[in-house]
Amino acid sequence: MTHPASRNSLFQSLLQLAPELLSDCARVSLKAGPWPAELAEDDGCLYFPEDSLWGLSTSSGAPQAVRLALLGCHHVWSPQRARRIGLRAEVLVAGQALRVSESLVRAAGAHTANWWLQEAASAPALLAQMARMVFCAQHHEAAQSLASWLLLAQQHSPSAALRLPERPWRAWLAWTPEVWQSAWDTLESQQAVALVRLEEGNVMALKALAPLSTLACPCHQAPPRD
């Protein structure tokens, strides 16, 4: 049963085993852009995206960051663990996330053991997503990759009407303006996407999934739910 407290599937599962954790949770609002500086040192918490979407990449300290994965309503994020292996997150779609101390989750007792197994089981799926995205970026045209990644973003969003702010998405991809425009023009010419102009900037809207599926590369075919 879906718990009414959250749209994150992993958090729903956790609350079914340890509903008392709900009183120790906090909702945080995240703006589009790099992972918020005020949370950068908060390394003892787990974050569960609800309606926000995050891009995962290698650390900016690398010569050239590699875009690895999209995190959404089926994921949990640990800044502490991520820093240990040189990963960072950027907020691509502003929204909310639930935050809870990892130590409190571990202190909840043996009855949460099944949840930790579920959390661990999500790691191979995330690694598979990373492998697909890296392969896609290296072997397919930008328009194909963009279509695949937009479909992946839809998969990890709780909303059927996914809208992505253009500026954070472009910054995360780190494409040249020419590559971006060419990829976007291809998708727009097939009526797969549209640009909505709002006060806060341009927002990409997915007009139809069928054209995107046609334009996407094979990396997106039958992807596992991460």
Side-chain angles (χ1 to χ4, degrees):
M1 179 181 296
T2 298
H3 197 287
S6 176
R7 286 179 283 182
N8 184 288
S9 59
L10 273 178
F11 194 77
Q12 292 165 10
S13 299
L14 179 61
L15 285 186
Q16 289 174 2
L17 297 172
E20 68 276 10
L21 287 173
L22 185 59
S23 62
D24 296 310
C25 290
R27 271 194 172 91
V28 294
S29 295
L30 303 171
K31 296 181 180 179
W35 185 254
E38 62 270 21
L39 302 180
E41 300 304 321
D42 190 2
D43 59 3
C45 290
L46 299 175
Y47 292 84
F48 298 82
E50 294 193 287
D51 55 352
S52 54
L53 183 72
W54 310 342
L56 189 65
S57 63
T58 55
S59 172
S60 57
Q64 185 174 0
V66 178
R67 278 65 196 169
L68 293 173
L70 298 176
L71 304 182
C73 62
H74 308 301
H75 297 101
V76 58
W77 168 254
S78 168
Q80 183 182 50
R81 293 185 228 160
R83 280 200 298 273
R84 290 174 184 167
I85 56 177
L87 298 180
R88 66 169 182 166
E90 297 179 54
V91 181
L92 302 180
V93 177
Q96 293 186 322
L98 279 167
R99 177 178 63 194
V100 61
S101 169
E102 183 171 352
S103 62
L104 289 177
V105 177
R106 294 190 180 279
H111 58 289
T112 60
N114 286 338
W115 183 83
W116 284 108
L117 291 175
Q118 181 183 356
E119 190 267 347
S122 67
L126 184 58
L127 289 173
Q129 186 193 148
M130 292 180 179
R132 290 197 306 271
M133 290 192 74
V134 172
F135 180 88
C136 184
Q138 294 176 345
H139 294 87
H140 295 117
E141 297 293 333
Q144 291 181 305
S145 296
L146 181 58
S148 294
W149 296 343
L150 290 174
L151 285 168
L152 192 61
Q154 178 69 69
Q155 179 191 0
H156 295 307
S157 169
S159 173
L162 177 65
R163 290 189 174 187
L164 301 169
E166 181 186 16
R167 187 176 300 172
W169 187 271
R170 290 180 62 178
W172 181 67
L173 288 177
W175 285 350
T176 66
E178 294 77 17
V179 170
W180 167 265
Q181 194 61 52
S182 175
W184 180 261
D185 288 346
T186 298
L187 269 57
E188 195 170 34
S189 68
Q190 299 297 317
Q191 298 184 341
V193 293
L195 203 60
V196 181
R197 301 189 184 279
L198 303 175
E199 290 184 4
E200 61 270 26
N202 295 336
V203 174
M204 302 181 296
L206 307 189
K207 294 180 64 175
L209 294 182
L212 275 174
S213 299
T214 301
L215 294 166
C217 61
C219 295
H220 184 75
Q221 292 178 0
R225 172 165 286 188
D226 299 342

